[in-house]
Amino acid sequence: MAAYISDRKYLGKEKIVVAMDIGTTQSADRNTFTAAVAYAHLYPQALPQVSLVTQWPQQAIASGSAKIPTLVLYQNGEYVTCGQEAVKKMEDDMENTYSVAKWFKLHLHPETIKASRGPNSPPPLQIPDLPSGIDKERVYIDVIKYLFINTKRHFVEKTPGGVAIWDRLRSSMEFIFAIPNGWDSKQQNFLRQAAIAAGLVSSSDAAMQINFVSEGEASVHFALAYGSTKAWLEDGMEFAVVDAGGSTVDSTLYTCASMSPELELKEVRQSECVQAGGVSVDDSMKRILKERLSGSNFDDDESIQSIISAFELKTKRLFTGSGDSNETFGGKRDNDKSRGIIQGKIVLNQDEIASSFNDAILAITHSINTLLQGRTIRFLILVGGFGESPYLKSKLSEIVRSKGATIVTAEQPTKKAAAEGALIWYVQKYVKARAVRATFGTNPLMLYDPSIHSERSRLAYEDREGTKVVSDSFQMWVQKGTVLDDSFSFVREYYKVLPAWWKWVVATFLTFTEVEIYMWEGEGDHPTWAKNEDGEDTCHGQPPLAPATGSSRLPNWESD
């Protein structure tokens, strides 16, 4: 299904670009997340068109859904299948011979996301364990393989001459992963390695052929492509984008730097990411049900999960803030009037339903208030599957109205915003500047400064020139929260001291040298040391200072 069509011609080399969004929107099928894939065949001088994969195995053809459940099925430690196929096999499995991996995206969330839910945070989400003997690396590899195999099938079936085009462009194919705002280089490297292991690219080409875009940035491209932005967006205006998905809610503040000749956006400050997506509502409802049904015949995981699945399918999506709801989860013989259960139906009252949203709404409110502190906006764009909840939208509208702003939405269903938006991002690149989410630097040999390095004075020494130096000190390059343009580059001269006999070796063979890059995600002043006295990557305080993924290649060093 062709979706977005760009308004400007593509000027690069012919290529296929595939965007994957793994687990950001919730599905009614067994209370899990979903995945979506978009692709574009980019051809010189043609208008780029984005297509969504809308036909998946065991999915009703008439549904044309661009999403599949991110369930991964295993049997005796061996991969079986994914998506709707997994749902079908589980439904037919009378002997419970399968084990399932679900909600696995939550296993990747860094502590900074889990800890960002604001004051009086609710209990942490209860994340299901992965099947015995299966780690998250294995799950992601299997999911990526499944998505890619079916993307190829869809492409060759829907594109004239698709087999020949796919084979011709396969080696140069590029991939985009839409990731939460709060993911950093560690999570990016995890996905990169999983993509390599899944056969998408070789390790030598991964840096050039794998791209990452935040869900917030993908969503703003989607919203601008499908929303009526020309009616309200103007030069100099600040506006916010909130992508409320299944696991996280990503909030970003932009300013419109220019409307003409091309639209240009810049991040105003560091974006927010909070683990308060739609799954938080289900988790809260589970706690409510466990308390209500404690000691009854329905106080078991299967019964409670059946109620939650019914709740997610209907009530959670339609609740406006008033009215009770009947959830069908059993048969006519399932009765317990004292618990409100009659003939397999349970009545959830208005207060219980509203209460299940409270934890998520409080966390999202805290996140938005943090983002908008000291700023004035007129509009907030709300996207994402959870963002389509009438109750969530009404509550966020109250918050936004108190700040003199209005909520606007895209004119298309936004559950596919991240996958399609990632492709639109690749084509349009509206955002020209972003706020750095961590402080970056390295650990060169530093001149000893007693006002800074006194705690390791005994480790300082004189180099061959008689200068007192100290090792493992952290030297900052870029500070967290700094807004950097796309064209930004950092240049600093370094020298490496080598024995005189190395001169010939250096001059003959050495053209580049790698150095470790360290990042600090904490607030305030960065740590003094990149390593502890034993040479381990650590620091005084939390979170730890750790090597960022990858390294910086520096030109040939001068030798001594």
Side-chain angles (χ1 to χ4, degrees), residues 14-148:
E14 182 185 8
K15 67 176 66 173
I16 296 172
V17 183
V18 177
M20 295 184 179
D21 175 33
I22 302 175
T24 57
T25 306
Q26 283 196 275
S27 161
D29 294 314
R30 294 183 179 263
N31 190 232
T32 185
F33 298 126
T34 61
V37 179
Y39 62 82
H41 175 205
L42 303 179
Y43 196 82
Q45 300 299 319
L47 297 178
Q49 296 187 34
V50 177
S51 297
L52 291 161
V53 179
T54 54
Q55 294 178 6
W56 300 90
Q58 289 297 325
Q59 185 183 74
I61 295 177
S63 74
S65 176
K67 310 181 305 298
I68 60 166
T70 45
L71 291 173
V72 191
L73 217 57
Y74 295 92
Q75 188 174 45
N76 300 321
E78 297 295 323
Y79 166 77
V80 179
T81 189
C82 292
Q84 199 62 40
E85 286 182 289
V87 173
K88 183 67 167 60
K89 284 187 176 292
M90 291 174 69
E91 290 173 346
D92 296 339
D93 182 22
M94 299 301 175
E95 298 181 2
N96 294 318
T97 59
Y98 296 116
S99 55
V100 62
K102 65 177 184 177
W103 291 25
F104 46 85
K105 182 176 183 177
L106 299 181
H107 288 280
L108 272 185
H109 284 350
E111 291 301 320
T112 49
I113 290 182
K114 299 174 185 177
S116 62
R117 305 183 76 183
N120 303 316
S121 294
L125 294 178
Q126 299 300 307
I127 305 174
D129 293 332
L130 297 176
S132 178
I134 304 296
D135 57 25
K136 57 182 180 289
E137 289 85 357
R138 169 78 179 279
V139 175
Y140 266 91
I141 291 168
D142 291 334
V143 169
I144 290 172
K145 282 182 178 179
Y146 183 85
L147 295 177
F148 187 59

Side-chain angles (χ1 to χ4, degrees), residues 352-550:
E352 287 175 319
I353 301 170
S355 179
S356 70
F357 280 83
N358 284 347
D359 289 344
I361 290 172
L362 286 172
I364 296 169
T365 300
H366 174 74
S367 181
I368 292 175
N369 286 337
T370 300
L371 180 74
L372 300 182
Q373 187 175 12
R375 314 300 301 194
T376 300
I377 64 169
R378 288 167 52 192
F379 299 97
L380 182 149
I381 301 175
L382 179 62
V383 298
F386 187 31
E388 294 179 358
S389 158
Y391 186 61
L392 176 64
K393 184 178 179 181
S394 68
K395 287 297 183 181
L396 294 186
S397 292
E398 293 176 10
I399 299 167
V400 172
R401 278 199 303 269
S402 70
K403 300 179 182 296
T406 303
I407 283 184
V408 294
T409 56
E411 296 171 359
Q412 292 282 329
T414 59
K415 294 177 182 178
K416 57 187 177 65
E420 188 175 354
L423 248 303
I424 300 172
W425 163 82
Y426 186 91
V427 171
Q428 299 288 26
K429 299 286 178 67
Y430 291 136
V431 179
K432 304 299 183 183
R434 299 164 188 84
V436 181
R437 294 193 59 83
T439 295
F440 288 86
T442 190
N443 62 333
L445 198 64
M446 300 277 287
L447 295 177
Y448 177 76
D449 183 341
S451 67
I452 300 175
H453 305 126
S454 59
E455 63 180 312
R456 297 193 187 179
S457 59
R458 68 188 183 283
L459 299 179
Y461 62 94
E462 290 187 358
D463 64 13
R464 284 183 292 172
E465 297 178 349
T467 304
K468 197 171 185 179
V469 295
V470 65
S471 61
D472 296 331
S473 181
F474 178 68
Q475 184 178 64
M476 184 180 72
W477 287 351
V478 179
Q479 188 168 14
K480 180 179 180 178
T482 305
V483 177
L484 303 178
D485 290 336
D486 279 348
S487 59
F488 172 82
S489 63
F490 180 85
V491 178
R492 184 188 291 271
E493 286 189 353
Y494 290 96
Y495 297 90
K496 191 174 184 69
V497 179
L498 297 171
W501 58 270
W502 267 79
K503 284 185 177 181
W504 180 84
V505 176
V506 170
T508 305
F509 298 106
L510 186 58
T511 55
F512 289 95
T513 295
E514 294 186 350
V515 297
E516 286 186 314
I517 302 173
Y518 289 81
M519 70 176 189
W520 165 254
E521 293 182 308
E523 304 296 336
D525 294 336
H526 63 74
T528 302
W529 306 102
K531 297 175 181 287
N532 64 18
E533 295 185 18
D534 295 323
E536 299 171 335
D537 298 317
T538 184
C539 69
H540 302 296
Q542 294 293 328
L545 186 71
T549 301

